[in-house]
Amino acid sequence: MAHALFQTQDLTKTYTSNNVEVHALRGVSLELFSGELTVLLGPSGSGKSTFLNILGGLDTPSAGSVCFDGAEIAGYSERQLTRYRRERVGFVFQFYNLIPSLNAYENVALVTEISKEPMDPAEALALVGLEKRARHFPAEMSGGEQQRVAIARAIAKRPQVLLCDEPTGALDSRTGALVLEALQRTNRELGTTTVVITHNASIRELANRVFTFKDGQVGSAEINKAPKQAGEVTW
Amino acid sequence: MIGALDKKVLRDLRRLWPQVLAIGLVMACGVMTLLMASGSYRSLRETQLVYYDQYRFADVFAKVVRAPNVLLPQMREIAGVAAVEGRISTGAILEMEGMSEPASGVAVSLPAGADASVNKLYVREGRLPQAHSTNEVAIDHRFAVAHGLRMGDHFSAIIHGRRVTLEVTGLVLSPEFIYAIGPSDLVPDARRFGVLFLSHHALEGLVDLEGAFNDAAIRLSRGACVPCVMRQVDLLLRDYGGTGAFGRTDQTSHAFLDSELTQLEGMARILPPVFLLVAAYLVNMILSRMIALEREQIGLLKACGYTSWQVAGHYAKLVLAIALLGSLLGSVAGNWVGRGLTQMYSAYFSFPFLVFKQSPDLYVLAIGVCSGAALAGAGRAIFKAAQLPPAVAMRAPVPERFRGVLSLRAKQGGLSKLSVMGLRHLLHHPVRAAMTMVGIAFAASLAVTALSMVGSLDYMVELALYRAERADARLQLVEDQRGDVLHEIARLPAVRKVEAYRNEPVVYRANGKVKRGSITGKPLGAQLSRTLGVDKLPMALPAAGLILPTRLAGFLGVVPGQLVEVAFTRFGGRTRELRVAGVSSSFVGIAGVMRLDALHRAVGEGERLNDVAVMADPLALDALYSEIKQTPGLGGIALQSLSRRKFRANMDQNMGTMISAYFLVAMIVAFGVVYNSFRIQLSERGRELASLRVLGFSSAEVFQVMLVEMGVIVVLSLPLGWLLGFGFAAMVVKGIESDLFALPLVVNADAYAYAALVIIASSLLCGGVIWRRVARLDLIATLKARE
């Protein structure tokens, strides 16, 4: 039985903007298991991105606890968070966020240079099927290719967890399928715990576990005994 | 009611305030220099013109040994002459209370009766001496202030070897002595040099010139032919020891004032355009970026029905607001500094009044050129905004295409990926990088220029006042003496060494060029007044022939071996052809040098000495001074050791102010350029930098990417700045050069080092400000945003 890599307890996040309090998270308690692919569903403003950002150390909770592999990260300092992101977490965003002045290989190498036991950048690119595009700059690649470079960059350091915020949000379904395939493959072959945020309910069929967010809380949780392959899903 | 778009202008200005302020300050520097230099120039020039006109400043001057007064009506007959005053002027040694060393001065006679028709005095207090008084004196106001002299006070003077006690009746200013400088002095010293005005009656008795004059001041009518009048005057005075008429350009006070004014005018012409150019570039930089960021807004405006002109007008307003800010700041600062500068000048130049010329046109011009510069800088960006079709504007811009430069090096492990990012970004915008470099280089050049002035002046002082002229005092003799004068002076207390020279006023002619100057005859092996060669080392004087200062040789177009025609003006313009035996480095005056015996031979009037250099025991100077005050036969005295000290003190004060001002301006420019570059970088690369933070890079590592780019630009800009600074310094030195004065061009290593320090310090300061922004980057917001 896989162990719980993340455990959150009564996780709350409140933003104050112009003297108005916005409750992004209202006591989220859940567990994410090692090696699983988890999908977080929910409409805009339901709190799933805030939740992901807290898991990834990009944001801190207002209250509650977040345990990562037994360690409480909610109270981490800026320096500890930087180190946590550097060593443990891989991110994939909707808009890829590649460095335009570095080519695909260099974008991946950027991360492997600061990691302890990274894979070879070429190997990471091969995992997402882009070994032939290594010398291309972001401006010379399609959106799907750029997103796959972003995935290669995220997994190259062999993170324990891969956090993906709307990874297919900016892509058409055919390209999106390629990206999902890459995510599924790294999850399967490397055993990286993967969390994917999406609006797209069809993607739930790929996950081992699905949480649906609503108004800053977890509305429902379901376990998928037989996840589908990326190629089998359409939207 | 402010329209919605105008509200956007105001909010944009508020949002971008640090960048707007940085650009405004650079513009303000331009406006300030324009107003300061042009404003002071106009005020001083106007003051000069009004003063000259109201107080009838002479156009032509002539010195003569002794000319009978009957010549004066003949001079007035010369075509073009409006008025002539035949005066007596002579050197004086002054005994002032509370001063052990003697002061020196010039005594000038006043016409009997009516106001002087030429060189009228401005009576500040009291009255002029009465026509038949023998002991009344009107004194230069500055001298009176320096000694606390009031009406009715007395002091003693040795005039033409005769001691007289004079009573002060008036404090005056003269257009002839706006810049009053003592013999051998490099800057005016009101304590040690004074101008005395006595009745003609009193002076003719003291100087043995009854019924005669030795100095003519001539005022010309409008449109008169100056050289023609000078020729006629020379003809009239030739048989009476006339030393040659000269115009205002050779009159010391006028020449100093004019050279100062010319420098101000040059400053007004050169500096402001450069500041405005830098400001225009900065405007270009921020506006281009702003328009790139606001593509969607521009698209939206157009989609809503705004015309291209309205969009262009919107951005033009923003730019004009920056220009207005710059002009306002610059106007206030310029007015303030300009008044300070004018007042500083009035400490050197003595005017009875200052005509503060209000120059509204300058303010209009300042606003105009600032707006012009800002619009020129923004032109391309505004045009692009106006041209952007709404549909295109609403789409995200095409990602920037980078080239694979540096791949190889990076692969070889020479550079980290972060450095590669910085360098590629730099190479991706080569024009922008080059312009930023030029902006910073300009800032560095200002610091180099300011410091080079210190180096140049220091070196000039070292050469002129220490290496060449080493005497403690120079004594001018009333009448030519033979060599035995040396023995008399050597007997004076405290005197350790004495040398006697001969100074002859001459007119040089060669290759159609004419220059008034002098020749100094020095004994073989002279030690107290040495002649320095072009290698700045003391040179041995040749047995025959003339050594000319390089400036004079250059002006006359002669090289060693060639002949120069020399007219000895004290001897009826007796002309000799002398061979140029060499050239020397000389930075003060334009005196040729010969061996004493060779000069005696050339003039052909036997041995005549009129100038004595003394080296004295510094501990027994008071005894020497008191003896000098009693010594008849001395026409004037120059205390060189005090001149050195005075010059040094003066320099320290003025240079300190000047350097601080230049450094401040250099820092403002460097800060403005670097800060804006950083902000643009941060704006363009915010997403990239946030990505790095997300990937696990620390703030410091992320900041390194920005530092690499800026660091390369700053480092490369330094040599360019040094070069520019050297060029500016050379221009300044060239601009200062006159017959009175020249500066060697010296840019010491410390000038370059300090300039680099100023730039690096400003850049680090900017870095600190930007670092805080990098540390506060909002990772989530930046990453969520679509580019």
Side-chain angles (χ1 to χ4, degrees):
Chain A
M1 166 89 191
H3 78 283
L5 189 64
F6 280 107
Q7 282 173 308
T8 70
Q9 195 66 46
D10 292 331
L11 206 58
T12 304
K13 179 70 186 183
T14 310
Y15 297 103
T16 308
S17 136
N18 295 329
N19 295 325
V20 179
E21 289 204 332
V22 179
H23 298 279
L25 293 178
R26 303 161 186 264
V28 175
S29 302
L30 53 75
E31 292 184 326
L32 300 175
F33 291 90
S34 178
E36 285 190 356
L37 195 157
T38 302
V39 164
L40 307 183
L41 281 174
S44 284
S46 60
K48 52 190 193 307
S49 286
T50 307
F51 181 72
L52 193 86
N53 289 337
I54 292 174
L55 293 189
L58 291 180
D59 207 346
T60 50
S62 307
S65 86
V66 193
C67 279
F68 173 79
D69 215 5
E72 175 62 64
I73 64 166
Y76 271 12
S77 66
E78 187 56 44
R79 184 183 292 267
Q80 285 172 309
L81 284 176
T82 299
R83 199 167 150 181
Y84 167 67
R85 291 197 299 265
R86 182 184 285 214
E87 292 172 0
R88 310 296 181 99
V89 192
F91 282 99
V92 176
F93 291 94
Q94 182 178 1
F95 298 114
Y96 335 129
N97 295 323
L98 296 181
I99 307 294
S101 56
L102 299 180
N103 63 31
Y105 181 93
E106 291 164 340
N107 259 287
V108 179
L110 183 68
V111 169
T112 58
E113 281 176 3
I114 58 164
S115 307
K116 278 191 179 144
E117 287 171 349
M119 57 178 82
D120 183 54
E123 188 189 336
L125 284 171
L127 260 173
V128 296
L130 283 180
E131 58 274 37
K132 295 209 170 115
R133 307 284 276 161
R135 299 291 161 207
H136 289 77
F137 281 86
E140 300 162 339
M141 288 188 280
S142 71
E145 286 174 326
Q146 288 186 57
Q147 191 62 299
R148 276 145 69 200
V149 175
I151 294 171
R153 184 178 67 180
I155 57 167
K157 63 176 162 190
R158 303 185 199 278
Q160 279 171 278
V161 59
L162 183 62
L163 303 176
C164 312
D165 194 349
E166 298 276 9
T168 57
L171 304 173
D172 61 65
S173 64
R174 211 165 56 84
T175 329
L178 284 174
V179 168
L180 291 173
E181 199 177 288
L183 282 178
Q184 221 173 19
R185 186 171 169 198
T186 54
N187 171 251
R188 195 175 54 235
E189 292 180 11
L190 303 175
T192 313
T193 307
T194 306
V195 184
V196 178
I197 283 185
T198 179
H199 275 100
N200 189 340
S202 324
I203 296 176
R204 70 197 307 160
E205 295 169 34
L206 309 181
N208 300 104
R209 205 175 290 265
V210 179
F211 293 98
T212 309
F213 275 65
K214 198 178 172 194
D215 294 334
Q217 291 171 319
V218 179
S220 66
E222 56 186 89
I223 295 171
N224 192 355
K225 293 270 193 238
K228 286 188 179 172
Q229 290 305 302
E232 302 170 58
V233 179
T234 53
W235 68 83
Chain B
M1 179 75 185
I2 303 179
L5 265 190
D6 291 341
K7 276 190 190 155
K8 179 176 173 296
V9 170
L10 292 175
R11 290 194 186 137
D12 283 341
L13 285 171
R14 200 169 65 191
R15 183 171 55 87
L16 296 171
W17 76 265
Q19 284 160 279
V20 168
L21 183 66
I23 299 174
L25 283 176
V26 175
M27 274 187 181
C29 289
V31 172
M32 186 184 77
T33 36
L34 176 74
L35 288 179
M36 181 188 78
S38 275
S40 307
Y41 170 77
R42 287 187 185 184
S43 289
L44 288 170
R45 183 63 92 193
E46 188 65 17
T47 304
Q48 180 198 32
L49 289 178
V50 171
Y51 189 23
Y52 278 6
D53 188 54
Q54 287 183 3
Y55 289 82
R56 304 168 196 159
F57 182 50
D59 298 293
V60 171
F61 306 80
K63 303 251 185 226
V64 59
V65 174
R66 180 196 182 99
N69 286 341
V70 292
L71 288 182
L72 293 171
Q74 293 178 45
M75 285 169 84
R76 290 187 186 108
E77 292 298 304
I78 296 171
V81 170
V84 178
E85 287 290 347
R87 315 173 306 169
I88 297 168
S89 79
T90 183
I93 293 175
L94 313 174
E95 265 184 70
M96 305 312 298
E97 215 177 278
M99 216 172 128
S100 66
E101 73 270 26
S104 64
V106 175
V108 183
S109 72
L110 293 170
D115 259 1
S117 57
V118 185
N119 294 348
K120 189 180 148 192
L121 297 181
Y122 171 88
V123 182
R124 194 151 199 154
E125 251 180 85
R127 58 166 177 84
L128 296 180
Q130 283 175 345
H132 288 283
S133 68
T134 51
N135 67 338
E136 289 186 348
V137 66
I139 55 174
D140 184 83
H141 177 254
R142 284 162 297 182
F143 186 69
V145 170
H147 290 281
L149 288 173
R150 309 292 313 260
M151 252 54 66
D153 285 352
H154 293 81
F155 65 92
S156 294
I158 301 164
I159 297 174
H160 205 70
R162 289 179 176 146
R163 169 188 292 271
V164 276
T165 301
L166 298 169
E167 181 188 339
V168 179
T169 64
L171 309 186
V172 296
L173 297 171
S174 163
E176 201 180 348
F177 296 99
I178 293 175
Y179 190 86
I181 187 166
S184 291
D185 270 350
L186 291 174
V187 289
D189 182 351
R191 203 171 140 271
R192 291 193 300 109
F193 183 74
V195 187
L196 319 179
F197 296 93
L198 287 83
S199 70
H200 195 89
H201 172 69
L203 266 185
E204 66 182 5
L206 285 168
V207 186
D208 299 327
L209 279 175
E210 281 86 358
F213 65 94
N214 68 1
D215 179 344
I218 302 156
R219 195 161 163 76
L220 303 184
S221 39
R222 204 174 292 275
C225 159
V226 184
C228 311
V229 172
M230 288 188 345
R231 253 197 314 277
Q232 296 286 319
V233 170
D234 284 347
L235 261 168
L236 268 179
L237 298 179
R238 193 177 59 190
D239 298 335
Y240 303 95
T243 59
F246 55 94
R248 284 181 178 178
T249 46
D250 288 316
Q251 202 264 346
T252 311
S253 163
H254 176 87
F256 266 104
L257 180 56
D258 234 39
S259 114
E260 223 30 76
L261 287 173
T262 310
Q263 281 173 53
L264 267 181
E265 204 188 6
M267 186 174 166
R269 258 205 315 266
I270 297 171
L271 279 181
V274 189
F275 282 113
L276 292 176
L277 214 67
V278 175
Y281 159 65
L282 294 180
V283 168
N284 170 281
M285 205 158 75
I286 70 158
L287 205 73
S288 304
R289 181 58 193 159
M290 196 171 158
I291 284 170
L293 285 177
E294 294 187 352
R295 278 169 68 93
E296 286 182 30
Q297 296 175 34
I298 295 167
L300 191 76
L301 288 175
K302 289 193 171 176
C304 293
Y306 279 92
T307 63
S308 298
W309 279 107
Q310 283 171 311
V311 171
H314 166 65
Y315 289 105
K317 277 182 196 167
L318 182 89
V319 162
L320 288 175
I322 300 177
L324 199 66
L325 173 79
S327 330
L328 280 178
L329 287 176
S331 297
V332 172
N335 201 321
W336 181 62
V337 179
R339 275 179 189 263
L341 189 71
T342 311
Q343 257 146 28
M344 198 178 92
Y345 274 116
S346 55
Y348 281 97
F349 300 110
S350 176
F351 294 109
F353 44 78
L354 270 177
V355 185
F356 268 112
K357 197 159 162 69
Q358 287 303 332
S359 305
D361 62 317
L362 278 184
Y363 294 90
V364 174
L365 181 74
I367 296 176
V369 291
C370 273
S371 307
L375 284 176
R380 212 171 127 243
I382 291 179
F383 181 74
K384 264 169 84 177
Q387 290 288 305
L388 214 54
V392 175
M394 301 283 269
R395 279 202 300 271
V398 182
E400 289 185 285
R401 204 168 267 275
F402 281 81
R403 281 162 297 140
V405 278
L406 295 170
S407 301
L408 210 61
R409 291 282 306 277
K411 206 172 168 184
Q412 287 165 349
L415 294 165
S416 76
K417 292 289 169 296
L418 297 182
S419 304
V420 171
M421 279 173 69
L423 293 175
R424 281 203 188 136
H425 193 261
L426 172 79
L427 293 171
H428 191 62
H429 300 281
V431 175
R432 192 163 79 185
M435 292 296 290
T436 308
M437 229 179 279
V438 171
I440 301 172
F442 170 60
S445 75
L446 289 178
V448 172
T449 309
L451 287 169
S452 80
M453 289 304 101
V454 180
S456 298
L457 273 168
D458 258 339
Y459 192 52
M460 195 274 280
V461 169
E462 157 72 20
L463 289 182
L465 299 186
Y466 291 91
R467 218 181 281 184
E469 300 300 333
R470 308 198 302 164
D472 293 313
R474 284 290 273 264
L475 312 174
Q476 281 90 45
L477 307 179
V478 172
E479 280 167 353
D480 291 351
Q481 306 274 338
R482 300 180 63 82
D484 40 9
V485 68
L486 283 174
H487 303 299
E488 283 173 42
I489 291 173
R491 279 202 296 271
L492 291 174
V495 170
R496 284 177 169 173
K497 196 173 171 64
V498 186
E499 281 171 10
Y501 314 119
R502 175 176 188 165
N503 266 324
E504 281 301 335
V506 297
V507 176
Y508 293 100
R509 286 193 184 84
N511 301 316
K513 301 272 177 59
V514 183
K515 186 63 102 186
R516 294 174 57 83
S518 63
I519 295 179
T520 305
K522 298 182 184 178
L524 182 65
Q527 283 302 307
L528 298 185
S529 173
R530 304 191 297 191
T531 305
L532 304 181
V534 280
D535 56 0
K536 314 290 189 286
L537 294 174
M539 61 194 287
L541 295 180
L546 178 64
I547 306 291
L548 291 180
T550 41
R551 271 179 301 144
L552 181 56
F555 174 81
L556 296 171
V558 291
V559 293
Q562 291 182 325
L563 292 173
V564 176
E565 188 187 298
V566 173
F568 292 96
T569 52
R570 291 205 304 159
F571 301 92
R574 182 179 300 167
T575 303
R576 294 280 182 272
E577 287 215 311
L578 298 177
R579 191 168 297 282
V580 179
V583 287
S584 67
S585 295
S586 161
F587 299 103
V588 184
I590 38 171
V593 180
M594 289 177 80
R595 274 261 291 274
L596 195 54
D597 47 353
L599 180 60
H600 291 327
R601 278 200 305 278
V603 186
E605 295 279 334
E607 186 183 31
R608 283 163 178 249
L609 303 170
N610 54 12
D611 183 6
V612 179
V614 172
M615 186 176 267
D617 176 358
L619 298 175
L621 281 175
D622 285 356
L624 172 66
Y625 292 152
S626 88
E627 198 65 35
I628 283 174
K629 289 176 196 168
Q630 313 293 329
T631 306
L634 290 186
I637 180 161
L639 299 174
Q640 288 176 306
S641 45
L642 293 178
S643 298
R644 285 179 199 124
R645 242 178 283 155
K646 172 76 182 174
F647 185 77
R648 174 72 60 184
N650 221 303
M651 203 175 103
D652 286 348
Q653 188 192 350
N654 289 342
M655 284 285 137
T657 315
M658 186 193 85
I659 288 171
S660 314
Y662 267 78
F663 270 44
L664 181 69
V665 169
M667 285 192 90
I668 288 174
V669 174
F671 193 92
V673 175
V674 174
Y675 181 75
N676 274 295
S677 298
F678 262 136
R679 285 301 300 268
I680 298 295
Q681 241 204 91
L682 192 59
S683 156
E684 283 177 351
R685 312 178 74 180
R687 189 183 183 77
E688 205 175 299
L689 301 176
S691 299
L692 291 176
R693 294 280 286 119
V694 170
L695 292 174
F697 287 93
S698 65
S699 304
E701 285 168 319
V702 169
F703 189 50
Q704 182 200 326
V705 178
M706 298 180 77
L707 272 188
V708 164
E709 178 169 349
M710 210 58 236
V712 169
I713 290 179
V714 168
V715 166
L716 288 180
S717 71
L718 289 178
L720 186 63
W722 292 335
L723 204 69
L724 268 179
F726 187 84
F728 279 141
M731 276 165 73
V732 173
V733 162
K734 195 77 205 152
I736 284 176
E737 192 177 301
S738 67
D739 288 352
L740 306 162
F741 198 74
L743 275 182
L745 175 60
V746 177
V747 189
N748 290 321
D750 60 349
Y752 295 124
Y754 278 114
L757 212 62
V758 168
I759 299 304
I760 291 169
S762 314
S763 307
L764 287 179
L765 199 66
C766 278
V769 175
I770 296 294
W771 154 253
R772 289 182 49 197
R773 285 185 169 268
V774 171
R776 288 202 312 250
L777 265 183
D778 184 345
L779 304 189
I780 300 162
T782 322
L783 293 175
K784 282 276 181 187
R786 194 169 70 125
E787 180 75 334

